[in-house]
Amino acid sequence: MSEIAAPLRRSEQLGEEIEERIVTGQYRPGMRLDEQDLADEFGVSRTPVREALIHLASAGMIEMRPRRGAIVAQASPTRLCEMFEVMAELEAMCGRLAARRITPAEQAELLDAHRACEVARDANDPDAYYHLNEVFHQRIYQASHNSFLAEQADALHRRLRPYRRLQLRVRNRMKTSYSEHQAIVDSILSGDGEGAADKLQRHVVVQGERFADLVASLSALQVQNPA
């Protein structure tokens, strides 16, 4: 059975729209996000807006400040690179443990998630691939059977969500990502912990050309969306 993403709640939909606007520069670092203004803009009550802002604050995308409300957090390219380095190490640990501990049922779930990503890749749908890619990585976290590690990996993954989405829009990145997934799956299913760790680390870390692509994408989007 193919993996099917569950429908998003209204607050989750708002959260994704707001974080997308943050990463594309429409909502610039330091900008105040007013609950009522957002509610009016999206045609909803303040309740789902407030829930979305609380979620984004927990993910580090915004800061909740006394008397100022929600403020878009600042993250420099260097800071993003540092976070991706940590993310890569957490994922490597998950992959190493998953290769040793994954159950037959979890193997089937990982393969389902991988095949779902293939469908999105073939459809050239980066947004669908982004959501299904999250499911794929979640399957690896769960298969590590280390709940603390999975919680830490999930928390940082959420913090980097909009930037991982942005990366998928770089030319050929979706196709390359899927090929990297295949190598990761092969290592995990064969019980090769070190191979899985190495492939996941290289899959996630942002260095060299990938770092340059990320910086260029951020810069280009800021030019398209001036303050």
Side-chain angles (χ1 to χ4, degrees):
M1 179 183 293
S2 296
E3 194 72 45
I4 300 176
L8 297 178
R9 296 170 52 215
R10 187 64 181 120
S11 61
E12 293 172 331
Q13 294 173 342
L14 289 172
E16 289 202 351
E17 179 65 26
I18 294 170
E19 74 176 12
E20 176 78 359
R21 294 184 181 193
I22 290 172
V23 77
T24 58
Q26 186 171 345
Y27 295 162
R28 306 290 290 263
M31 178 179 173
R32 179 173 179 270
L33 301 179
D34 182 80
E35 281 186 15
Q36 190 59 58
D37 289 345
L38 291 171
D40 292 342
E41 180 177 0
F42 292 111
V44 298
S45 69
R46 293 179 64 171
T47 298
V49 172
R50 185 176 303 112
E51 291 175 353
L53 293 177
I54 290 172
H55 175 75
L56 290 171
S58 69
M61 292 301 300
I62 65 174
E63 300 173 4
M64 304 299 288
R65 298 181 183 176
R67 295 182 297 279
R68 290 198 65 196
I71 304 297
V72 178
Q74 300 193 44
S76 68
T78 299
R79 180 69 169 178
L80 287 175
C81 187
E82 292 171 346
M83 288 192 286
F84 271 107
E85 285 181 342
V86 175
M87 184 79 258
E89 295 302 323
L90 291 175
E91 297 241 4
M93 292 174 66
C94 287
R96 184 181 293 108
L97 293 175
R100 289 163 38 194
R101 301 175 177 177
I102 192 168
T103 66
E106 289 168 340
Q107 289 179 354
E109 290 174 345
L110 180 62
L111 285 171
D112 280 347
H114 183 47
R115 295 187 189 107
C117 288
E118 181 181 25
V119 172
R121 179 207 64 180
D122 292 345
N124 194 30
D125 187 341
D127 289 330
Y129 187 94
Y130 160 75
H131 288 294
L132 294 166
N133 174 67
E134 284 198 319
V135 175
F136 175 82
H137 284 270
Q138 286 286 343
R139 294 289 178 259
I140 296 173
Y141 303 165
Q142 294 163 5
S144 74
H145 291 272
N146 183 315
S147 59
F148 180 77
L149 174 61
E151 288 166 5
Q152 299 306 306
D154 185 59
L156 186 52
H157 187 109
R158 289 200 310 272
R159 176 67 179 87
L160 292 170
R161 285 180 73 192
Y163 304 102
R164 294 180 84 141
R165 177 189 291 179
L166 184 61
Q167 282 189 300
L168 290 174
R169 296 179 181 175
V170 173
R171 185 178 181 184
N172 293 325
R173 178 58 198 160
M174 191 163 45
K175 179 179 179 180
T176 301
S177 173
Y178 180 80
S179 296
E180 292 169 357
H181 281 191
Q182 183 65 63
I184 291 164
V185 169
D186 290 344
S187 290
I188 290 176
L189 296 188
S190 68
D192 180 7
E194 291 309 314
D198 178 67
K199 292 177 177 65
L200 272 161
Q201 195 273 342
R202 288 187 285 112
H203 174 65
V204 175
V205 75
V206 176
Q207 294 178 339
E209 290 183 357
R210 287 186 63 191
F211 179 65
D213 286 341
L214 179 59
V215 172
S217 296
L218 288 169
S219 298
L221 289 166
Q222 288 172 357
V223 169
Q224 295 169 13
N225 300 283

